[in-house]
Amino acid sequence: MEISPLTAEDHAAAETDLAEVLLECVLGGASVGFTLPFTVADARAYWRGALADPDARTWVARDGGRILGVIRLLPAAQANAPHRAEIAKLLVHPDGRGRGLGGALLVAAEEGARALGRSLLVLDTETGSVAEGLYARRGWTRVGEIPEFALTPAGDRAATTIFRKHV
């Protein structure tokens, strides 16, 4: 397994794998910003737009060239927040789960944040999700919970937990 930054030159070639990872996660119930019905075309459209952001950073986990995981770092754009960034879209394809990819991707994004001079990271995740446990085990501090924050893919309201970490 290899964790590496996704460069602008890689975007087009990675779009199919990234779309598959996102689609499988959403179809599996991950509350990552989308509701059903959700198609491969929807996933491709998301990645086309997301990867166009010149300030965001993306890392992928590859196994034999196939992307099985992804994480994004979104540096805050506000003038009063040059020290802050958000972790977004930590996704692991079902074929890659149980292999430490989530933790490895998180480490890559944390190191990338430090390299950019970003020392405070924030994220939100569905309360009670597997990801919530991952962040707690990786030294993230739970800030609080917001009830009924977002819809799950099935359309149910779910709480989100906010985390922070100084890197």
Side-chain angles (χ1 to χ4, degrees):
M1 196 61 59
E2 173 195 357
I3 307 294
S4 61
L6 189 66
T7 66
E9 295 77 29
D10 296 332
H11 288 180
E15 188 180 298
T16 298
D17 281 354
L18 290 171
E20 181 184 347
V21 170
L22 178 57
L23 180 65
E24 290 299 321
C25 289
V26 172
L27 294 179
S31 182
V32 292
F34 305 96
T35 57
L36 300 176
F38 188 73
T39 67
V40 70
D42 296 327
R44 282 172 146 327
Y46 166 76
W47 283 113
R48 247 180 262 116
L51 295 174
D53 180 350
D55 296 321
R57 302 292 186 269
T58 304
W59 289 265
V60 294
R62 287 186 172 96
D63 185 7
R66 179 182 176 208
I67 294 173
L68 291 178
V70 61
I71 192 167
R72 305 199 74 225
L73 181 73
L74 310 175
Q78 300 90 333
N80 69 344
H83 62 291
R84 191 175 75 222
E86 179 181 356
I87 296 289
K89 298 295 180 276
L90 173 54
L91 304 168
V92 177
H93 191 283
D95 292 348
R97 294 188 184 148
R99 298 164 63 181
L101 296 183
L105 286 162
L106 197 53
V107 167
E110 291 169 1
E111 290 172 356
R114 274 193 297 274
L116 291 173
R118 304 295 171 136
S119 59
L120 175 62
L121 300 179
V122 296
L123 62 82
D124 72 273
T125 191
E126 183 179 0
T127 303
S129 67
V130 172
E132 185 178 13
L134 170 68
Y135 299 127
R137 287 189 308 277
R138 292 291 179 163
W140 286 70
T141 301
R142 186 181 191 276
V143 175
E145 182 179 309
I146 304 171
E148 299 186 11
F149 184 77
L151 298 179
T152 66
D156 301 317
R157 292 182 186 182
T160 196
T161 300
I162 309 295
F163 283 91
R164 68 172 171 80
K165 186 172 186 179
H166 288 276
V167 296

